[in-house]
Amino acid sequence: MPEFADGQEAGRYSFVVVACRLPVDRVAGPGGEMEWRASPGGLVTALEPVMRKAGGAWIGWQGSAGEAPEPFDTSGMRLVPVGLSPDEVRTFYEGFCNATLWPLYHDVIAPPEFHRSWWEAYVAINRRFAEAAAAQAAPDATVWVHDYQLQLVPGMIRAQRPDVRIGFFNHIPFPGYEIFAQLPWRRQIVAGLLGADLLGFQRQQDAANFLRACRRGARLATRGSHVQVPADPASPGSAVRDVRAAAFPISIDTAGFGELARREDVLARAAEIRDALGKPQVMLLGVDRLDYTKGILHRLRAYGELLKEGRLGPPEAVLVLVASPSRERVEHYRVLRDEVEVAVGRMNGDYGELGSAPVHYLHQSYPREEMAALYVAADVMLVTALRDGMNLVAKEYVACRHDETGALVLSEFTGTADELSSAFLINPHDIEGMKDAIMRAVTVPPAEARRRMRAMRRRVAENDVAHWAATFLDALEHAPGRIRQADAPDG
Ligand code: F6P
């Protein structure tokens, strides 16, 4: 009989996903009433079959302040909303998650803020998610916790439900120890994560950074990709639990994007986009959340210099810049929006003509169909992130290029660069190098473009999001997770 903490009863679901967000949108139903509908993101596409088969529940926040709606069933899974008050949105989501952890984990591109009240909110909200997960999980269930917003959840679930198997996947980078060490609560974060049986990271380097935080910060012994965690943290003796930390690079719904990019209406829309831009010879495209990690200003600087030097410019070449609204109440995001809009306005003022602008800037979010049409239309895709856990936009572009044309300019500071090494790789801080790479991508001979695109398409076809999820869940099933005597550590 599995053990539970006092008063705890087992729930019904043998597979439980815990993520900051629920995979739903609020849409008008047939009779005009508002209802929740599953949103077609990559993660939910990958997990839906597992959810249906195993009887799955997904615990998450619906994305706006207020009381949690009642749990409901959709697309074969149970959705269990977790509510956040307006103050908790400010201190937990905008504060600790996106003004402390986000900049810290992205190499302090913006300075992180450390506030004790935000940390208290992080602990309280993580506990709320953990309690919801513990209540839904059936005896011996598998629980998969996602991302930096919920790093304490694995430890909190383990304390209540030692019978369940716990996986954690970090979607963003895990920083080097010198940076991570700035966090006043680094010890608690490492301890929270180590409640899992398996910790997944995007790149080998992220897993290595975490293992180093275990050694340096928590003084724990590691062997290869395994950490030895005292089985009873209250009395560290010789019995240990093995926790594995390894890389599982996430991917996209490759077939889904591929199908979209073959659809007649999407192809027609792609042609319409090029017409609307004045039928340029070269359409460059950037697609990001409006986030300072994405290197949008660096990209604009490089493009602006190419305009100034007359190496690119309208009407032959145009840049479409889709920057979708994100975290708009967080100060760094507000400042960035102003800076991007000033830069775009200046460039269009300086180099535009009546009826032709060098930059088409869209501060909007689009459905997948429109994104696929943009990917089909674009000759050169620019991904210039200063730091990015993976960068799925780069993979989506590749998945849409059936005819093996098109070129990808890709920052080497994205997880994607580890996989798509046939892209035109750049260091976005090196403006001269980025300009040259853009020009090489614009003028690449067709045979070379095809060779590069074919290699990238092969990789994105092999590792799609379903493969990623299956690989992670298989590793979780086989994670050691048992309590035994300690081994001699590495080094
Ligand atoms: O992993 C980064 C991430 O949290 C994604 O899960 C998400 O799509 C993106 O950032 C945007 O995050 P937010 O939930 O803050 O809008």
mmCIF file of all heavy atoms in Angstrom, residues 20-21 43 61 93 98 102 106 147-149 170-172 202 289 291 325-327 333, ligand 1:
data_model
loop_
_atom_site.group_PDB
_atom_site.id
_atom_site.type_symbol
_atom_site.label_atom_id
_atom_site.label_comp_id
_atom_site.label_asym_id
_atom_site.label_seq_id
_atom_site.Cartn_x
_atom_site.Cartn_y
_atom_site.Cartn_z
ATOM 1 N N CYS A 20 2.766 25.913 -15.277
ATOM 2 C CA CYS A 20 2.242 27.211 -14.847
ATOM 3 C C CYS A 20 0.925 27.518 -15.555
ATOM 4 O O CYS A 20 -0.024 27.988 -14.955
ATOM 5 C CB CYS A 20 3.277 28.296 -15.121
ATOM 6 S SG CYS A 20 2.790 29.895 -14.455
ATOM 7 N N ARG A 21 0.859 27.203 -16.861
ATOM 8 C CA ARG A 21 -0.345 27.541 -17.627
ATOM 9 C C ARG A 21 -1.156 26.298 -17.989
ATOM 10 O O ARG A 21 -0.580 25.264 -18.326
ATOM 11 C CB ARG A 21 0.057 28.176 -18.951
ATOM 12 C CG ARG A 21 0.824 29.448 -18.797
ATOM 13 C CD ARG A 21 -0.036 30.574 -19.160
ATOM 14 N NE ARG A 21 0.740 31.798 -19.309
ATOM 15 C CZ ARG A 21 0.149 32.955 -19.527
ATOM 16 N NH1 ARG A 21 -1.156 33.036 -19.631
ATOM 17 N NH2 ARG A 21 0.879 34.033 -19.632
ATOM 18 N N LEU A 43 3.202 21.249 -26.623
ATOM 19 C CA LEU A 43 3.254 20.366 -25.459
ATOM 20 C C LEU A 43 1.967 19.551 -25.342
ATOM 21 O O LEU A 43 1.999 18.333 -25.164
ATOM 22 C CB LEU A 43 3.456 21.224 -24.200
ATOM 23 C CG LEU A 43 3.817 20.501 -22.917
ATOM 24 C CD1 LEU A 43 5.071 19.680 -23.100
ATOM 25 C CD2 LEU A 43 4.021 21.515 -21.783
ATOM 26 N N TRP A 61 -2.562 27.323 -14.291
ATOM 27 C CA TRP A 61 -3.242 28.614 -14.106
ATOM 28 C C TRP A 61 -3.860 29.013 -15.437
ATOM 29 O O TRP A 61 -3.262 28.765 -16.491
ATOM 30 C CB TRP A 61 -2.181 29.627 -13.643
ATOM 31 C CG TRP A 61 -2.592 31.051 -13.578
ATOM 32 C CD1 TRP A 61 -3.709 31.557 -12.987
ATOM 33 C CD2 TRP A 61 -1.864 32.171 -14.095
ATOM 34 N NE1 TRP A 61 -3.713 32.935 -13.103
ATOM 35 C CE2 TRP A 61 -2.589 33.332 -13.779
ATOM 36 C CE3 TRP A 61 -0.650 32.312 -14.794
ATOM 37 C CZ2 TRP A 61 -2.171 34.613 -14.139
ATOM 38 C CZ3 TRP A 61 -0.222 33.577 -15.157
ATOM 39 C CH2 TRP A 61 -0.976 34.720 -14.825
ATOM 40 N N TYR A 93 3.956 35.718 -10.458
ATOM 41 C CA TYR A 93 4.159 35.585 -11.912
ATOM 42 C C TYR A 93 5.036 36.713 -12.474
ATOM 43 O O TYR A 93 6.080 36.457 -13.081
ATOM 44 C CB TYR A 93 2.791 35.531 -12.619
ATOM 45 C CG TYR A 93 2.901 35.586 -14.121
ATOM 46 C CD1 TYR A 93 3.373 34.498 -14.841
ATOM 47 C CD2 TYR A 93 2.560 36.742 -14.824
ATOM 48 C CE1 TYR A 93 3.502 34.547 -16.218
ATOM 49 C CE2 TYR A 93 2.682 36.803 -16.202
ATOM 50 C CZ TYR A 93 3.152 35.707 -16.891
ATOM 51 O OH TYR A 93 3.293 35.769 -18.249
ATOM 52 N N ASN A 98 9.172 36.255 -13.362
ATOM 53 C CA ASN A 98 9.604 36.956 -14.574
ATOM 54 C C ASN A 98 10.463 38.195 -14.363
ATOM 55 O O ASN A 98 10.934 38.793 -15.331
ATOM 56 C CB ASN A 98 8.381 37.243 -15.443
ATOM 57 C CG ASN A 98 7.846 35.929 -16.009
ATOM 58 O OD1 ASN A 98 8.622 35.085 -16.467
ATOM 59 N ND2 ASN A 98 6.548 35.724 -15.921
ATOM 60 N N TRP A 102 13.566 34.692 -14.442
ATOM 61 C CA TRP A 102 13.736 34.768 -15.909
ATOM 62 C C TRP A 102 15.056 35.474 -16.273
ATOM 63 O O TRP A 102 15.881 34.897 -16.992
ATOM 64 C CB TRP A 102 12.516 35.431 -16.546
ATOM 65 C CG TRP A 102 12.589 35.503 -18.042
ATOM 66 C CD1 TRP A 102 13.093 36.533 -18.790
ATOM 67 C CD2 TRP A 102 12.177 34.494 -18.976
ATOM 68 N NE1 TRP A 102 13.015 36.240 -20.132
ATOM 69 C CE2 TRP A 102 12.457 34.997 -20.277
ATOM 70 C CE3 TRP A 102 11.609 33.231 -18.849
ATOM 71 C CZ2 TRP A 102 12.178 34.266 -21.437
ATOM 72 C CZ3 TRP A 102 11.327 32.507 -20.005
ATOM 73 C CH2 TRP A 102 11.612 33.027 -21.282
ATOM 74 N N HIS A 106 18.586 33.669 -17.728
ATOM 75 C CA HIS A 106 19.028 34.043 -19.079
ATOM 76 C C HIS A 106 20.264 34.939 -18.976
ATOM 77 O O HIS A 106 20.322 36.029 -19.564
ATOM 78 C CB HIS A 106 17.901 34.748 -19.840
ATOM 79 C CG HIS A 106 16.813 33.809 -20.279
ATOM 80 N ND1 HIS A 106 15.739 33.489 -19.493
ATOM 81 C CD2 HIS A 106 16.647 33.093 -21.436
ATOM 82 C CE1 HIS A 106 14.956 32.630 -20.139
ATOM 83 N NE2 HIS A 106 15.489 32.377 -21.324
ATOM 84 N N ASP A 147 8.929 23.496 -15.759
ATOM 85 C CA ASP A 147 9.483 24.840 -15.878
ATOM 86 C C ASP A 147 9.767 25.615 -14.583
ATOM 87 O O ASP A 147 9.363 25.237 -13.498
ATOM 88 C CB ASP A 147 8.616 25.669 -16.825
ATOM 89 C CG ASP A 147 9.473 26.398 -17.866
ATOM 90 O OD1 ASP A 147 10.711 26.316 -17.759
ATOM 91 O OD2 ASP A 147 8.910 27.043 -18.763
ATOM 92 N N TYR A 148 10.469 26.727 -14.833
ATOM 93 C CA TYR A 148 11.075 27.517 -13.760
ATOM 94 C C TYR A 148 10.076 28.095 -12.775
ATOM 95 O O TYR A 148 10.457 28.464 -11.664
ATOM 96 C CB TYR A 148 11.913 28.649 -14.392
ATOM 97 C CG TYR A 148 11.084 29.675 -15.149
ATOM 98 C CD1 TYR A 148 10.806 30.919 -14.605
ATOM 99 C CD2 TYR A 148 10.561 29.393 -16.404
ATOM 100 C CE1 TYR A 148 10.038 31.850 -15.290
ATOM 101 C CE2 TYR A 148 9.788 30.312 -17.094
ATOM 102 C CZ TYR A 148 9.534 31.540 -16.533
ATOM 103 O OH TYR A 148 8.766 32.447 -17.210
ATOM 104 N N GLN A 149 8.824 28.204 -13.167
ATOM 105 C CA GLN A 149 7.831 28.781 -12.241
ATOM 106 C C GLN A 149 7.529 27.819 -11.090
ATOM 107 O O GLN A 149 6.980 28.219 -10.080
ATOM 108 C CB GLN A 149 6.514 29.072 -12.977
ATOM 109 C CG GLN A 149 6.626 30.022 -14.160
ATOM 110 C CD GLN A 149 6.753 29.270 -15.475
ATOM 111 O OE1 GLN A 149 7.124 28.100 -15.511
ATOM 112 N NE2 GLN A 149 6.464 29.951 -16.577
ATOM 113 N N ASN A 170 12.852 21.559 -17.386
ATOM 114 C CA ASN A 170 13.110 22.995 -17.376
ATOM 115 C C ASN A 170 13.138 23.501 -18.818
ATOM 116 O O ASN A 170 14.021 23.112 -19.577
ATOM 117 C CB ASN A 170 14.476 23.235 -16.709
ATOM 118 C CG ASN A 170 14.629 24.648 -16.235
ATOM 119 O OD1 ASN A 170 13.738 25.167 -15.582
ATOM 120 N ND2 ASN A 170 15.750 25.268 -16.557
ATOM 121 N N HIS A 171 12.174 24.346 -19.193
ATOM 122 C CA HIS A 171 12.089 24.777 -20.597
ATOM 123 C C HIS A 171 13.089 25.884 -20.922
ATOM 124 O O HIS A 171 13.300 26.195 -22.091
ATOM 125 C CB HIS A 171 10.675 25.264 -20.908
ATOM 126 C CG HIS A 171 9.660 24.157 -20.921
ATOM 127 N ND1 HIS A 171 9.018 23.740 -22.053
ATOM 128 C CD2 HIS A 171 9.198 23.366 -19.929
ATOM 129 C CE1 HIS A 171 8.183 22.743 -21.759
ATOM 130 N NE2 HIS A 171 8.278 22.503 -20.471
ATOM 131 N N ILE A 172 13.635 26.518 -19.912
ATOM 132 C CA ILE A 172 14.551 27.642 -20.159
ATOM 133 C C ILE A 172 15.974 27.206 -19.760
ATOM 134 O O ILE A 172 16.144 26.121 -19.210
ATOM 135 C CB ILE A 172 14.085 28.923 -19.419
ATOM 136 C CG1 ILE A 172 14.221 28.788 -17.895
ATOM 137 C CG2 ILE A 172 12.635 29.249 -19.789
ATOM 138 C CD1 ILE A 172 13.960 30.106 -17.141
ATOM 139 N N GLN A 202 17.229 21.411 -21.461
ATOM 140 C CA GLN A 202 17.258 21.531 -22.925
ATOM 141 C C GLN A 202 18.603 21.072 -23.498
ATOM 142 O O GLN A 202 18.654 20.383 -24.507
ATOM 143 C CB GLN A 202 17.027 22.990 -23.347
ATOM 144 C CG GLN A 202 15.683 23.583 -22.935
ATOM 145 C CD GLN A 202 14.542 23.125 -23.831
ATOM 146 O OE1 GLN A 202 14.621 22.082 -24.475
ATOM 147 N NE2 GLN A 202 13.476 23.900 -23.858
ATOM 148 N N ARG A 289 8.295 36.380 -29.061
ATOM 149 C CA ARG A 289 7.619 37.166 -28.044
ATOM 150 C C ARG A 289 8.478 38.422 -27.860
ATOM 151 O O ARG A 289 9.717 38.358 -28.020
ATOM 152 C CB ARG A 289 7.578 36.405 -26.710
ATOM 153 C CG ARG A 289 6.459 35.418 -26.595
ATOM 154 C CD ARG A 289 6.384 34.774 -25.227
ATOM 155 N NE ARG A 289 7.645 34.258 -24.776
ATOM 156 C CZ ARG A 289 8.444 34.845 -23.879
ATOM 157 N NH1 ARG A 289 8.096 35.990 -23.315
ATOM 158 N NH2 ARG A 289 9.590 34.310 -23.534
ATOM 159 N N ASP A 291 10.551 40.064 -26.068
ATOM 160 C CA ASP A 291 11.307 39.741 -24.849
ATOM 161 C C ASP A 291 12.768 40.137 -25.079
ATOM 162 O O ASP A 291 13.322 39.895 -26.166
ATOM 163 C CB ASP A 291 11.203 38.221 -24.596
ATOM 164 C CG ASP A 291 11.689 37.820 -23.214
ATOM 165 O OD1 ASP A 291 12.881 38.066 -22.886
ATOM 166 O OD2 ASP A 291 10.893 37.261 -22.460
ATOM 167 N N PRO A 325 2.894 40.377 -28.044
ATOM 168 C CA PRO A 325 2.864 40.992 -26.713
ATOM 169 C C PRO A 325 3.145 39.957 -25.636
ATOM 170 O O PRO A 325 2.679 38.826 -25.720
ATOM 171 C CB PRO A 325 1.420 41.498 -26.585
ATOM 172 C CG PRO A 325 0.885 41.544 -27.978
ATOM 173 C CD PRO A 325 1.627 40.528 -28.769
ATOM 174 N N SER A 326 3.938 40.341 -24.641
ATOM 175 C CA SER A 326 4.298 39.404 -23.572
ATOM 176 C C SER A 326 4.603 40.170 -22.291
ATOM 177 O O SER A 326 5.261 41.206 -22.334
ATOM 178 C CB SER A 326 5.536 38.617 -24.023
ATOM 179 O OG SER A 326 5.856 37.625 -23.093
ATOM 180 N N ARG A 327 4.100 39.672 -21.166
ATOM 181 C CA ARG A 327 4.463 40.159 -19.820
ATOM 182 C C ARG A 327 4.494 41.689 -19.773
ATOM 183 O O ARG A 327 5.481 42.301 -19.319
ATOM 184 C CB ARG A 327 5.820 39.572 -19.430
ATOM 185 C CG ARG A 327 5.802 38.066 -19.507
ATOM 186 C CD ARG A 327 7.142 37.428 -19.310
ATOM 187 N NE ARG A 327 7.050 35.995 -19.573
ATOM 188 C CZ ARG A 327 8.075 35.175 -19.714
ATOM 189 N NH1 ARG A 327 9.305 35.625 -19.622
ATOM 190 N NH2 ARG A 327 7.899 33.890 -19.953
ATOM 191 N N TYR A 333 10.041 44.771 -19.954
ATOM 192 C CA TYR A 333 9.322 44.501 -21.198
ATOM 193 C C TYR A 333 8.727 45.795 -21.755
ATOM 194 O O TYR A 333 8.684 46.004 -22.962
ATOM 195 C CB TYR A 333 8.224 43.442 -20.968
ATOM 196 C CG TYR A 333 8.804 42.067 -20.703
ATOM 197 C CD1 TYR A 333 9.379 41.760 -19.473
ATOM 198 C CD2 TYR A 333 8.827 41.086 -21.681
ATOM 199 C CE1 TYR A 333 9.943 40.516 -19.220
ATOM 200 C CE2 TYR A 333 9.380 39.835 -21.436
ATOM 201 C CZ TYR A 333 9.937 39.559 -20.206
ATOM 202 O OH TYR A 333 10.498 38.331 -19.969
HETATM 203 O O1 F6P B 1 9.470 28.288 -21.157
HETATM 204 C C1 F6P B 1 9.258 29.624 -21.358
HETATM 205 C C2 F6P B 1 7.797 30.007 -21.246
HETATM 206 O O2 F6P B 1 7.332 29.977 -19.940
HETATM 207 C C3 F6P B 1 6.896 29.150 -22.120
HETATM 208 O O3 F6P B 1 6.384 28.050 -21.460
HETATM 209 C C4 F6P B 1 5.852 30.109 -22.555
HETATM 210 O O4 F6P B 1 5.316 29.796 -23.781
HETATM 211 C C5 F6P B 1 6.607 31.412 -22.637
HETATM 212 O O5 F6P B 1 7.687 31.315 -21.748
HETATM 213 C C6 F6P B 1 5.720 32.596 -22.335
HETATM 214 O O6 F6P B 1 5.468 32.626 -20.995
HETATM 215 P P1 F6P B 1 4.265 33.304 -20.248
HETATM 216 O O7 F6P B 1 3.513 32.164 -19.634
HETATM 217 O O8 F6P B 1 4.916 34.158 -19.243
HETATM 218 O O9 F6P B 1 3.440 34.059 -21.244
#
